[in-house]
Amino acid sequence: MRTIKFLLRKEFKQIFRNRTILIMIMVMPVMQLLILPLAANYDVKDINLSVVDHDHSSFSQKLISKITASGYFRLQGYNASFNGAFRLIESDQADLILEIPEGFERNLVRENQQKVFIAVNAINGTKAGLGGAYLTQIIGNFNSDIRLQWQQGKGSDLTPIIEITSSNWFNPFLNYRIYMVPGILAILVTMVGGFLTALNIVKEKEVGTIEQINVTPIKKQYFILGKLIPFWILGNVVFTIGLIISWLIYGIIPLGNILVLYGFIWLFLLAVLGFGLLISTYSDTQQQAMLIMFFFMMIFILMGGLFTPIDSMPGWAKVIARFNPLSYMIDVMRMVILKGSGWKDILPQLWKIALFAVVLNTWAILNYRKIA
Amino acid sequence: MKQFIAFVKKEFYHVLRDKRTLLILFGMPVMQILIFGFALSKEVKNTKILVVDNAKDVSSRKIISEIAASKYFQLEQITSDDRQLEPAFKKGIIHVAVVIPANFNHDLMHLNKAQIQIIADASDPNLATTLTNYLSAIIQDYQFRLNKAFSLPFQIIPDIRMIYNPQLKGAPNFVPGVMALVLMLVCVLMTAISIVKEKETGTMEILLVSPFKPVLVILAKAVPYLLLSLINLASILLLSVYVLRVPVNGSLWLLFAESTLFIITCLTLGIFISIKTNTQQAAMLVSLMGMLLPTVLFSGFMFPIENMPVPLQIISNIVPSKWFYIIVKSIMIKGVGFTVIWKETLILGGIMLILFLLSLKSFKIRMQ
């Protein structure tokens, strides 16, 4: 026990003496948590619309003003030809073209049917899908409006109608920030813990101080524990600061029990730190450790389910996601903070993370050799 | 010139002798492009759905079977007990639920009016909106077929064409984005360590007392990594075209030239970080912890930049990968030429020049 105390004192001294590292640990996550959630905004509105109106009738005018009044679209202007509007799409000034053909109003009255053409820049599939859906919906509403106007009370309510009501649970105002902040906090805590521990043991190797530790009677597991505990504490500090910021700045108060959240983060940090230490024992130079950690960190972050849904990944990618501790963390953060889930709800995730923690740390201890 | 070549040779030895790092440098971008190119997509499919069917009649069964047949949804459970809803949401088993009230078919046929409720887990707002839209479309489709007998007058039919990406696949959006992301981070990381490593191991002093010009020290450091990155670029492009099936619609040479410009910009950024920091740890933490998330977010392939608050839109302008993402998208997917992207190219060149001058200015030729 005494050995660990001395080891901890050594580690803390090393951490607190290095000003740059300390700033990186404390200031960088705070800065990112303050700025990044503002950037991560996927409200699809202000879709840039370019209109090609060949009809110039009162109806085409009404349709256009109905579209612009919806709040989803921003009228970029009128174009005389489709090709002119297409150039706007090429240069990213417009996302969507609505082309109203000549004789729109006349054909609608005479032939009971008329097409309008919509061209969507579909490179970004989500935006294109939603934009197209919104526009179709608005045109549909416009359509039933004029139908009502033209054939008042001619038995249109004899057809069966299904009324659809929809409700949005857990985030009724569809606030994107509430969704992003817990996820970004989870990522930041993972990065702080993962990168620092990955660099730690290998630095002693590179500088040569590991020899001094290897010749002492300190046991392997104590050495690893001595490396683990300081960063575990730091991780908790960063997490707590993050929670306070999300409460003060974003007004996010966890719906669920905060102890559940901490219970999970304690295990999660053990797993992440164990992984960092494992990489550290396998690398020869800090550069190697950093590159390997970077590789895994990118996979953890991009496949954690925060930016793109795991459900829509192909089968093999879902398997990778299952071995991604961060995906469980993001899941649990969201469940406890937004939905108020309790111990029982997060039990499956808790078991898996505990397994990660045990396996990774044991592996790191076994792989650390006291012989150079 | 002879001096310079000798120096470049020295740098090459450094890089080539560390086989393990070399393997990582070549293997990592390839792996990442492959994994992310296939796995990242905002497409919604196979979302788990729970149906609370209180009616259990012809209409409800038909609607349910249509939901189950849709590629967007995967039927998790059909129940008649709406108390199961909340726990299922809380455990994260389902993202959306449909509630069909009792007497659904009866109401629909005899009162001409029936109700259906859609409940979405809006902790992910966008997913919630998309799912609600898809479900409404399926239900409306059913209703439309029910009404086929009645033909509606005065129909406006929207004819939608999705250009560039007719099937709304994720790859055309994400492959250029992942290219920008991976190239940027790998290039910055490579040079970020170069100078600070010599400082830390003490060999910097030897360089400084030599008659070698500081500019040449910086340049020689960048050359081997430039070559490495070009090889990486070639392999990434080959993978995108032949494995991920994202074609290069524009000029390949233009794409290569623009990428080289981008790579040089990132290498210069790495050198700048290397000059400004004192330890390898600090250099690496700045270039990874400091840059990973901002690059992901500000490149514009995850979140549209025009949605951000104005100050952040301004910040995004200094992120080189944002400009490169626009360029790659334009050349690969839209197939446009230089006349459309000259502005972005100019900005990228400007960023590189500023970084280079800053590095040169802050390169100290005296030890502290």
Side-chain angles (χ1 to χ4, degrees), chain B residues 58-85:
Chain B
V58 193
S59 293
S60 79
R61 265 198 295 275
K62 269 192 189 146
I63 289 181
I64 291 171
S65 73
E66 259 167 57
I67 292 172
S70 144
K71 65 169 178 170
Y72 303 122
F73 299 102
Q74 188 187 327
L75 203 55
E76 181 71 23
Q77 200 185 352
I78 305 173
T79 163
S80 53
D81 179 12
D82 55 11
R83 274 170 310 181
Q84 291 190 9
L85 270 177

Side-chain angles (χ1 to χ4, degrees), chain A residues 43 118 127 143 163 179 282, chain B residues 20 114 123 154 161 306-307:
Chain A
D43 286 339
I118 300 168
K127 203 174 174 186
N143 203 173
E163 263 178 41
Y179 168 68
Y282 268 110
Chain B
R20 222 159 153 186
S123 51
F154 311 126
R161 218 161 19 112
E306 67 265 22
N307 277 8

Side-chain angles (χ1 to χ4, degrees), chain B residues 224-258:
Chain B
Y225 291 114
L226 177 62
L227 281 177
L228 272 182
S229 311
L230 286 179
I231 297 174
N232 270 336
L233 173 69
S235 54
I236 286 175
L237 280 181
L238 283 174
L239 283 178
S240 341
V241 174
Y242 291 106
V243 183
L244 295 167
R245 308 240 163 251
V246 179
V248 181
N249 288 328
S251 149
L252 190 63
W253 290 114
L254 181 62
L255 183 60
F256 227 88
E258 297 278 357

Side-chain angles (χ1 to χ4, degrees), chain B residues 134-253:
Chain B
Y134 285 152
L135 274 175
S136 309
I138 292 175
I139 297 167
Q140 271 163 3
D141 202 45
Y142 173 74
Q143 178 196 319
F144 187 73
R145 265 179 293 137
L146 213 60
N147 294 347
K148 234 183 200 160
F150 311 80
S151 91
L152 288 171
F154 311 126
Q155 271 191 55
I156 304 174
I157 303 167
D159 180 5
I160 300 189
R161 218 161 19 112
M162 298 289 175
I163 36 184
Y164 300 127
N165 180 14
Q167 290 154 301
L168 295 183
K169 280 197 282 195
N173 185 40
F174 278 103
V175 168
V178 171
M179 265 178 75
L181 181 67
V182 170
L183 272 180
M184 167 125 177
L185 291 172
V186 171
C187 293
V188 170
L189 194 62
M190 284 195 286
T191 42
I193 319 173
S194 60
I195 290 174
V196 76
K197 192 173 184 180
E198 304 236 18
K199 277 194 236 171
E200 219 178 41
T201 45
T203 45
M204 199 61 198
E205 230 178 323
I206 302 172
L207 288 182
L208 291 180
V209 293
S210 71
F212 215 62
K213 283 205 189 94
V215 196
L216 292 181
V217 174
I218 297 179
L219 282 181
K221 287 267 172 209
V223 171
Y225 291 114
L226 177 62
L227 281 177
L228 272 182
S229 311
L230 286 179
I231 297 174
N232 270 336
L233 173 69
S235 54
I236 286 175
L237 280 181
L238 283 174
L239 283 178
S240 341
V241 174
Y242 291 106
V243 183
L244 295 167
R245 308 240 163 251
V246 179
V248 181
N249 288 328
S251 149
L252 190 63
W253 290 114

Side-chain angles (χ1 to χ4, degrees), chain A residues 121-337:
Chain A
N121 174 0
I123 293 183
N124 184 338
T126 314
K127 203 174 174 186
L130 281 177
Y134 288 148
L135 197 56
T136 321
Q137 210 171 7
I138 295 169
I139 293 175
N141 285 343
F142 175 74
N143 203 173
S144 26
D145 281 356
I146 55 169
R147 196 175 292 143
L148 221 70
Q149 221 175 335
W150 284 349
Q151 46 144 205
Q152 271 171 354
K154 268 195 222 158
S156 61
D157 53 340
L158 280 178
T159 55
I161 289 171
I162 303 176
E163 263 178 41
I164 302 168
T165 53
S166 60
S167 44
N168 293 307
W169 281 13
F170 309 117
N171 182 7
F173 301 108
L174 297 178
N175 184 344
Y176 215 74
R177 242 157 252 169
I178 294 183
Y179 168 68
M180 288 307 290
V181 171
I184 290 185
L185 178 57
I187 290 180
L188 290 172
V189 171
T190 316
M191 284 214 282
V192 170
F195 281 133
L196 286 176
T197 42
L199 285 177
N200 199 286
I201 296 180
V202 75
K203 189 184 180 182
E204 302 229 22
K205 278 194 216 167
E206 220 177 35
V207 187
T209 46
I210 197 129
E211 283 299 308
Q212 294 165 14
I213 290 175
N214 283 345
V215 294
T216 60
I218 297 173
K219 290 216 173 75
K220 285 202 299 191
Q221 56 268 38
Y222 288 145
F223 176 68
I224 295 278
L225 262 184
K227 293 281 181 196
L228 199 71
I229 294 172
F231 293 111
W232 187 81
I233 294 173
L234 277 178
N236 272 305
V237 172
V238 171
F239 182 68
T240 310
I241 295 176
L243 277 187
I244 294 172
I245 288 180
S246 42
W247 167 53
L248 285 180
I249 308 287
Y250 302 104
I252 298 172
I253 301 163
L255 266 183
N257 191 341
I258 201 147
L259 284 179
V260 177
L261 212 52
Y262 270 100
F264 192 81
I265 193 91
W266 287 342
L267 277 178
F268 173 73
L269 274 173
L270 283 182
V272 169
L273 301 181
F275 185 63
L277 290 175
L278 182 64
I279 286 182
S280 208
T281 57
Y282 268 110
S283 324
D284 301 325
T285 62
Q286 293 185 61
Q287 193 177 11
Q288 276 175 15
M290 209 56 186
L291 284 170
I292 297 173
M293 198 60 193
F294 164 63
F295 176 71
F296 283 107
M297 209 49 103
M298 287 269 282
I299 292 179
F300 287 171
I301 291 175
L302 290 181
M303 298 181 72
L306 181 67
F307 296 114
T308 65
I310 293 177
D311 279 342
S312 57
M313 291 177 187
W316 55 267
K318 276 185 204 159
V319 175
I320 296 182
R322 221 169 288 146
F323 286 96
N324 177 359
L326 187 56
S327 77
Y328 297 112
M329 179 69 205
I330 291 174
D331 240 17
V332 168
M333 286 283 274
R334 224 181 264 160
M335 284 161 75
V336 177
I337 294 182

